[in-house]
Structures are given as C-alpha cells and as structure tokens.
Amino acid sequence: MNEPAPVHPAPVPVLALGDILLVSLQGELHDGLAEQLQQDLSHRIATTGVAGVVIDISGVDIVDSFLGRVLAEIASTARLLAARTILAGMRPAVAITLVELGLALPGLTTALDVERAMEILSRRGT
C-alpha cells in the first residue's frame, strides 16, 4: 500500500511594487514556512535591489517568539542588503503578546496599515 506524498504548503507570495516588496501573511505561519519566507525575501532583495519590504500581518492572529525572531532577522538581513523593512497591520492582541514575550523586534519599523507603510518608504529619500 502506497503512503500519500507529504503535503508541502505553498510558499508565501511576495509581490513586487516598484522598488518595494509586499508580503501579506494570513492565518498561522508554521516554522518551516517562516524560514522559507526569510530565505525567499533575502534572495529577492539581493537579486532585485529593492529599497523596502512591507510585511502585512493584519491577517495573523498569533505571533509567537519564533515568528517574532524570524521577522526581526528578516529586518536585519534586509538592512544589510540596503533595504528597509516595515511591519504593517499589527493587531492590538499581537502587540500585547509581543510585549509580554519581551520581543522588541529590533530593526523593524511598524505602521498601522500597508498604506502608511508605503508612505513611510516613499519618504525615505527626504
């Protein structure tokens, strides 16, 4: 009897909007997918030379310590590759959880929503 092939979740889509990459996270992001996103974003930043990355987490209910660390590492890597990272759409419960976990998310700028994140990135040269 054949066992079914393992199911691999689809990678998180990364949209290019001019010189900005937009990532919209939805639902629960398991650890393997978060690590894959980190690698994919690093590669895209290095190969395209974008100036900024917006990570929209408005569709995420829970950010645990692992995902918080991955987001901070994405921001650190992007900064080394000359791109700025903005985390947009954080829900109040997620913010409270991050504070309770003691996660400061160094290197990450936050914005209330994607529109404001795009405004922040558009002002980068001023």
Side-chain angles (χ1 to χ4, degrees):
M1 190 165 178
N2 293 335
E3 292 186 27
V7 176
H8 299 285
V12 177
V14 178
L15 302 175
L17 303 171
D19 65 347
I20 296 171
L21 296 178
L22 174 62
V23 180
S24 184
L25 302 181
Q26 300 293 319
E28 190 173 329
L29 195 67
H30 68 77
D31 294 355
L33 199 53
E35 289 174 336
Q36 184 64 49
L37 174 63
Q38 182 178 12
Q39 292 175 9
D40 291 348
L41 275 176
S42 299
H43 179 74
R44 290 279 297 267
I45 294 167
T47 57
T48 62
V50 295
V53 177
V54 175
I55 302 174
D56 176 19
I57 63 167
S58 62
V60 175
D61 293 327
I62 298 171
V63 174
D64 61 11
S65 60
F66 182 82
L67 182 55
R69 192 184 77 219
V70 168
L71 292 171
E73 289 175 359
I74 288 171
S76 295
T77 303
R79 191 172 47 252
L80 289 173
L81 296 170
R84 188 171 177 193
T85 303
I86 299 183
L87 195 62
M90 185 179 302
R91 295 179 181 191
V94 170
I96 291 169
T97 301
L98 290 175
V99 170
E100 289 174 350
L101 291 172
L103 295 175
L105 303 178
L108 269 172
T109 300
T110 58
L112 290 178
D113 53 40
V114 171
E115 183 178 351
R116 291 180 186 172
M118 300 297 268
E119 288 174 9
I120 291 169
L121 287 174
S122 70
R123 287 186 266 142
R124 67 182 173 267
T126 60

